[in-house]
Amino acid sequence: MTAQRQLHFNVNLLHSGVYPSAWRLPDSRPDAFIDIDHYVRVARIAERGKFDAIFLADTPAINDRIDYRPFMALEPTIVLASVAAATTHVGLIATASTSYNEPYNLARRFATLDLVSRGRVGWNVVTTADAAAGRNFGFAGVSEHGARYARAREFTEVVHALWDSWEDDALVGDKASGRFADGDKVHAIDHRGVHYRVAGPLTVPRSPQGRPVTVQAGGSEDGRALAAATADAVFSLAQTIPDGAAYAADLRARAARYGRDPAAIVVLPGLATVIGATEAEARRRQDALWELVPLEYSVARLAGTLRIDPERLHLDKPLPDPLPLPPDANHTMFAGTVALARRDNLTVRALLRALGGGVGHRIVVGTPEQIADDIEAWFRAGAADGFNLMPDVLPEGLETFVDAVVPILQRRGLFRREYGGVTLRDHLGLDRPAWKPAANRV
């Protein structure tokens, strides 16, 4: 780990921006969500700002109202292969589901991208609680929450074993002797578990960072257990500093029980930003974005998060009570949304505005100095090691953050002025994992 603690930033590259209405602004392009030049431009801005990584979310289905907004349409690893060729340092994190992939194919795909990018890749592990995605893969419904995470735990263990199926010095390449690789250092993993039987080894050796960084968004009990056991970095949802600090402390305590170094997990809450030269200007910008979000869309999205009929949501009343947690819900988003509404006694209308019409994560509105103050407060309180940044509009909102907020944080000694290495693990201050044999041998 690095000796001096500094902030970490990813940018969550949500097509035109985190606000559902971002695509409607005069300088936004409706086709940005399928334009590789848009993704490359955002990545280059992030790299200019010395960000740790760009991050691509993914759901292998159309599960949003496409009559109202763009969505994450492109397959993330293919997008990031193009971005890798156009950048040199910024990390590349892609989402891939353990519910609708097989470990070997996924391990090979991410290991390839990690080699192509010279060690800049991360895998965001998700279980996909989405019925539309399930139907695209021939499933009638969504598996129960605990079952999805049990599968994800074994899936991740298999992927890690495959990434470690080559020892670091297995590739010899000795032209004089004619010895290309040391077969004794390339190992089958022979995994036989509840969900998978995978022989291995993988077809490619380890990358400059050893293996891709493993990222997880663990908010539920099952999610926290998976994150504590397997993740190098964790995306979290927290609306207050006490909530963020409690989450980080709980995750680190769990990691210690797995025999891991608690400090070797980077905790990155989501943070949506709306920035103006003055606070009044930032508020006007937020108002303009909010007014362009159709109310029908916001209500439908909130109902989807809560897994209830939209007719149960009355704009000028609080959320229905009680609201039991549905077994097929996204537990993190459900809990965060309900907690925000209950804590501040919000009506549905006020909650929708607080969520930015469907954002879900904390929104900070203000001047660059105010944004920097907020980030510093969370960082110094131990509520965050950095943030998964979601600018209101892309690329404009990210450019403003890089040009106006980053220099403030640099002057305060909280954020790097130059990259200290070339791999994603270098950026995150994570040690390169030593090779180890597969733990599950028969």
Side-chain angles (χ1 to χ4, degrees), residues 192-207:
R192 294 174 180 268
V194 174
H195 301 282
Y196 303 104
R197 292 192 173 192
V198 181
L202 203 59
T203 57
V204 295
R206 300 183 98 211
S207 80

Side-chain angles (χ1 to χ4, degrees), residues 28 41-42 82 85 92 151 153 202 223 244 350 373:
S28 294
R41 181 181 177 189
V42 172
S82 295
L92 311 163
R151 176 186 171 105
R153 177 69 177 273
L202 203 59
D373 288 345

Side-chain angles (χ1 to χ4, degrees), residues 363-388:
I363 305 174
V364 179
V365 183
T367 66
E369 195 81 25
Q370 289 172 318
I371 303 296
D373 288 345
D374 180 274
I375 288 170
E376 181 174 1
W378 278 65
F379 181 66
R380 293 198 183 282
D385 295 313
F387 292 92
N388 199 30

Side-chain angles (χ1 to χ4, degrees), residues 97-180:
S97 173
T98 59
S99 298
Y100 307 119
N101 281 288
E102 290 296 323
Y104 193 91
N105 281 344
L106 186 144
R108 187 175 183 229
R109 190 160 78 242
F110 275 82
T112 299
L113 185 57
D114 206 26
L115 287 166
V116 166
S117 66
R118 295 178 174 83
R120 293 190 279 143
V121 167
W123 168 36
N124 179 42
V125 182
V126 298
T127 65
T128 312
D130 182 79
R135 289 191 294 271
N136 285 343
F137 291 89
F139 296 96
V142 176
S143 298
E144 182 270 331
H145 189 271
R148 292 201 312 273
Y149 274 89
R151 176 186 171 105
R153 177 69 177 273
E154 185 180 343
F155 190 114
T156 306
E157 290 173 353
V158 174
V159 168
H160 286 181
L162 287 167
W163 284 341
D164 278 352
S165 59
W166 289 56
E167 296 186 39
D168 283 318
D169 56 351
L171 185 60
V172 178
D174 187 340
K175 294 181 180 180
S177 69
R179 195 179 193 204
F180 181 73

Side-chain angles (χ1 to χ4, degrees), residues 17 45 73 108 111 129 137 145 161 165 179 230 314 344 359 408 435 439:
I45 295 168
R108 187 175 183 229
F137 291 89
H145 189 271
S165 59
R179 195 179 193 204
T230 66
H314 302 284
D344 295 337
V359 175
I408 297 172
W435 175 85

Side-chain angles (χ1 to χ4, degrees), residues 156-288:
T156 306
E157 290 173 353
V158 174
V159 168
H160 286 181
L162 287 167
W163 284 341
D164 278 352
S165 59
W166 289 56
E167 296 186 39
D168 283 318
D169 56 351
L171 185 60
V172 178
D174 187 340
K175 294 181 180 180
S177 69
R179 195 179 193 204
F180 181 73
D182 185 344
D184 291 335
K185 295 185 177 182
V186 180
H187 306 280
I189 67 168
D190 292 329
H191 176 91
R192 294 174 180 268
V194 174
H195 301 282
Y196 303 104
R197 292 192 173 192
V198 181
L202 203 59
T203 57
V204 295
R206 300 183 98 211
S207 80
Q209 66 172 347
R211 60 173 183 253
V213 170
T214 300
V215 182
Q216 218 269 317
S220 66
E221 180 68 24
D222 292 324
R224 293 184 191 212
L226 177 63
T230 66
D232 301 302
V234 178
F235 297 151
S236 66
L237 190 156
Q239 294 286 345
T240 68
I241 286 178
D243 287 348
Y247 175 86
D250 176 67
L251 187 68
R252 298 190 199 287
R254 291 169 185 258
R257 291 197 290 272
Y258 284 110
R260 303 183 63 199
D261 177 2
I265 299 178
V266 180
V267 179
L268 303 166
L271 178 65
T273 54
V274 184
I275 308 171
T278 66
E279 184 176 353
E281 179 183 304
R283 295 292 176 190
R284 286 193 297 270
R285 180 180 173 91
Q286 183 188 35
D287 289 343

